[in-house]
Amino acid sequence: MNQPLSYIDPQAKIARNVVIEPFSTIHKNVVIEEGSWIGPNVTIFEGARIGKNVKIYPGAVISAIPQDLKFAGEETVTIIGDNTTIRECATINRGTVDKYKTEVGANCLIMAYVHIGHDCIIGDQCILGNSTQLAGHVIIDDFVIFGGSCAVQQFTRIGSHAYIGGGSLVRKDVPPYTKAAREPLTYCGINSIGLRRREFTSEKINEIQEIYRYVFLKGLNNSKALDLVELELPPSKERDEIINFIRNSDRGVMKGYSY
């Protein structure tokens, strides 16, 4: 690893075919696996674990210490999954004693100026639009897409296959398979376009839509709606996932659609 215009700490573990462009800084206790590309002017602090074929663009800062006044220097990590792309000036902070890690899954796209706070866990195949800001302790399940300039409050959870409209302020949990937008954040239907792209059948999409009619469109409280879903709709993986997500939500889920 002869990179005369970059600084690479001798204790960093970097695969032989990793490309590190000029003026980047790689600190100690960093692992970068095969095929990854580190663009110019990238800073990777200690605790970073960069997977295979990751691309990190100029100005990004990975694994900086948390923006948390309680952080006491504990040894934590930032994990970036295989084939993920991190665009210009994104910032990803490492974990604290809560989870001891911040993690971004495989095959994600983290667009320019995104901030991912400490102890966030992001699943696979997620897209975070430009300037999306995640506070600490946010959990995002697989296949979630954010439009640009969203802001997510700490300890919030976003369910799998959800779509968050650009400019949204996310203060409540967003159940799986839904679209969320407006202010305050509101149910705007299910993410039928995303589900079709991922080869969900029309029958399965209609099943998910019927579940959310009970939850968001019948004027019922969540407990009553979920009881009726269990009583009147056939069991399925998706039904049980939705029920468990809403019942286990500490923050509460977004409001239902209203004119």
Side-chain angles (χ1 to χ4, degrees):
M1 294 302 302
N2 182 18
Q3 300 288 342
L5 296 179
S6 293
Y7 171 75
I8 303 172
D9 191 280
Q11 297 182 47
K13 297 179 180 179
I14 301 173
R16 288 185 179 276
N17 62 348
V18 169
V19 175
I20 300 175
E21 301 288 1
F23 310 115
S24 287
T25 301
I26 313 295
H27 286 248
K28 67 179 181 180
N29 189 23
V30 168
V31 177
I32 305 178
E33 297 186 25
E34 293 86 355
S36 289
W37 176 78
I38 311 300
N41 295 297
V42 171
T43 302
I44 302 180
F45 286 100
E46 60 183 285
R49 304 290 182 265
I50 312 296
K52 298 176 182 177
N53 303 311
V54 172
K55 292 181 173 60
I56 304 179
Y57 281 73
V61 179
I62 310 299
S63 204
I65 64 170
Q67 298 177 118
D68 183 345
L69 295 176
K70 301 184 299 298
F71 181 69
E74 54 266 28
E75 186 172 338
T76 61
V77 297
T78 301
I79 301 170
I80 309 297
D82 296 346
N83 307 306
T84 283
T85 297
I86 299 170
R87 293 302 303 258
E88 294 82 358
C89 300
T91 57
I92 304 177
N93 293 165
R94 61 188 174 101
T96 68
V97 292
D98 176 49
K99 295 185 176 70
Y100 285 93
K101 67 178 181 179
T102 301
E103 184 169 5
V104 178
N107 301 292
C108 292
L109 172 56
I110 310 300
M111 293 190 191
Y113 296 99
V114 167
H115 173 70
I116 298 174
H118 60 86
D119 301 288
C120 288
I121 305 295
I122 299 176
D124 299 335
Q125 303 278 355
C126 292
I127 300 174
L128 274 61
N130 293 303
S131 298
T132 291
Q133 310 289 295
L134 306 185
H137 314 280
V138 170
I139 296 176
I140 299 175
D141 294 333
D142 297 342
F143 293 101
V144 172
I145 297 177
F146 283 83
S149 300
C150 294
V152 184
Q153 189 168 312
Q154 62 184 3
F155 295 104
T156 301
R157 183 175 181 185
I158 315 294
S160 61
H161 299 276
Y163 175 82
I164 313 297
S168 294
L169 305 179
V170 184
R171 305 181 183 94
K172 295 285 189 178
D173 292 348
V174 177
Y177 311 108
T178 61
K179 293 186 296 186
R182 308 173 77 188
E183 174 57 31
L185 196 73
T186 303
Y187 172 72
C188 296
I190 68 167
N191 185 17
S192 55
I193 293 174
L195 295 178
R196 289 192 185 98
R197 287 173 177 168
R198 296 169 202 132
E199 300 183 344
F200 280 67
T201 65
S202 295
E203 292 75 16
K204 183 59 67 177
I205 291 171
N206 289 337
E207 174 194 322
I208 294 168
Q209 197 163 43
E210 182 64 19
I211 294 168
Y212 282 116
R213 286 194 185 101
Y214 281 78
V215 174
F216 287 123
L217 301 180
K218 289 181 177 286
L220 304 169
N221 64 45
N222 287 341
S223 297
K224 180 63 173 177
L226 296 178
D227 288 343
L228 287 175
V229 168
E230 284 187 311
L231 181 66
E232 298 180 3
L233 300 181
S236 69
K237 171 183 173 294
E238 290 77 16
R239 189 201 75 164
D240 293 344
E241 181 182 358
I242 294 166
I243 289 171
N244 291 334
F245 184 99
I246 297 174
R247 282 189 172 150
N248 293 324
S249 172
D250 294 327
R251 179 176 295 282
V253 300
M254 64 182 175
K255 62 182 290 189
Y257 181 82
S258 60
Y259 290 99

